[in-house]
Amino acid sequence: VLWSPAGDYQDIRYEHSADGIAKITINRPEVRNAFRPQTLMEISDALVEARENPEIGVIVLTGEGPNAFCSGGDQRVRGDTGYLTEPGSARAVGRFHVTDLHIQIRRLPKPVVAMVAGYAIGGGHVLHLVCDLTIAADNARFGQVGPKVGSFDGGFGAGLLAELVGVKKAKEIWFLCRQYDAAQALSMGLVNTVVPLADLESETVQWCREMLQMSPFALRLMKASFNAAEDGLSGIQQLAHDANLLFYSTEEAKEGREAFKAKRTPDFGRFPRRP
Ligand code: 2NE
């Protein structure tokens, strides 16, 4: 695949393929692609572009190089109140920028695919969890480290993981902080497939191209439907607003709009009361 640069960033690369795939690459291989606030803000910005761009149908999230997808929060900028945007400065205020990023990935109405080579560890592991699909290389290694480094993710990092691998296994992953290889990850349902490292990108692109052949709105509704069960009212809200998007194109909805604009009483009498 020929990737064309589609944005100017410091911590990530953002690229498009000619046929509708956006690729976001965390580009901090010297720290196993750990993220700092800047990294997450840039991913968020690229996701907005990929969402709004009608040419883009599928988004790939990955890490630079064969050694890591992402090793989680950059511990060098971890302060006492979260991860610091301006470490060392008096204005440094800690935050978890990743909180909103998880929601953004799940809300994004296009499939997001994690392409994992090497380590997906800690917050980097949760990042692949919140993606819709995960394609792993045979050198991938998965695990949580929170309780080892004085952190935890009880949000999607616990709930989604338990849903994927079962509660007992999820507790093992968090309580023992072991690492799991790609074959183990596949057998516990943590990833969709495992391929040789050399084939990782071509396999991922193949999966993306298959999705690009599908009805975009059906994919959107399926993603929202899966999330609705997991996200409670905010998940139902997404699905309901998607239904409203479709309703707006009906004569029935248009009658309400046109009557309002014409300052007349709407005539809904010609529309069926469906059984
Ligand atoms: C990822 C792992 C297992 C890789 O091990 P290895 O042996 O392949 O590499 P090494 O030598 O550990 O790492 C290479 C360089 O990257 C840095 C290392 O310190 C090392 O630097 P130098 O010694 O060459 O200077 N590095 C790696 N991960 C880093 C990180 N996350 N932050 C800063 N520097 C990092 C191994 O490196 C590892 O276990 N990494 C730490 C994983 C970790 O603790 N992640 C944070 C968990 S908490 C979190 O992500 C989080 C959360 O729980 C809640 C909200 C938001 C975030």
Side-chain angles (χ1 to χ4, degrees), residues 184-233:
Q184 289 171 305
L186 185 63
S187 75
M188 65 173 115
L190 205 49
V191 302
N192 294 88
T193 191
V194 176
V195 296
L197 177 61
D199 301 336
L200 180 62
E201 183 159 293
S202 59
E203 183 73 14
T204 305
V205 165
Q206 171 61 27
W207 283 54
C208 292
R209 286 185 173 152
E210 283 184 41
M211 288 187 281
L212 288 169
Q213 301 307 310
M214 304 296 162
S215 149
F217 212 90
L219 293 181
R220 176 192 182 106
L221 289 173
M222 278 314 301
K223 178 164 177 172
S225 302
F226 280 116
N227 290 353
E230 292 158 357
D231 289 354
L233 191 52

Side-chain angles (χ1 to χ4, degrees), residues 30-32 34-35 71-76 83 96 98 119 121-123 145 149 151-153 179:
E30 68 285 0
V31 285
R32 299 289 185 264
F35 53 74
S71 63
D74 187 328
Q75 298 305 290
R76 299 169 307 176
Y83 292 84
F96 280 170
V98 83
Y119 289 105
I121 292 285
V145 291
V149 299
S151 183
F152 68 97
D153 184 340
Q179 288 180 5

Side-chain angles (χ1 to χ4, degrees), residues 8-114:
D8 196 15
Y9 296 103
Q10 200 181 335
D11 285 12
I12 66 166
R13 275 203 322 277
Y14 180 58
E15 298 158 298
H16 290 174
S17 72
D19 59 352
I21 307 170
K23 184 166 73 156
I24 299 172
T25 307
I26 304 175
N27 191 15
R28 309 183 78 218
E30 68 285 0
V31 285
R32 299 289 185 264
N33 297 317
F35 53 74
R36 56 178 179 165
Q38 171 84 14
T39 321
L40 298 175
M41 288 188 275
E42 291 182 5
I43 295 173
S44 175
D45 191 80
L47 287 172
V48 169
E49 199 285 332
R51 176 180 182 153
E52 299 296 332
N53 189 331
E55 303 296 323
I56 296 301
V58 182
I59 297 141
V60 173
L61 178 62
T62 192
E64 174 60 27
N67 294 327
F69 169 73
C70 176
S71 63
D74 187 328
Q75 298 305 290
R76 299 169 307 176
V77 299
R78 175 174 156 181
D80 295 345
T81 57
Y83 292 84
L84 304 173
T85 323
E86 296 179 48
S89 122
R91 299 193 331 144
V93 177
R95 247 188 81 184
F96 280 170
H97 289 79
V98 83
T99 310
D100 290 342
L101 189 73
H102 290 168
I103 300 285
Q104 187 182 3
I105 290 172
R106 287 173 66 79
R107 265 291 161 110
L108 210 152
K110 299 173 182 178
V112 182
V113 182

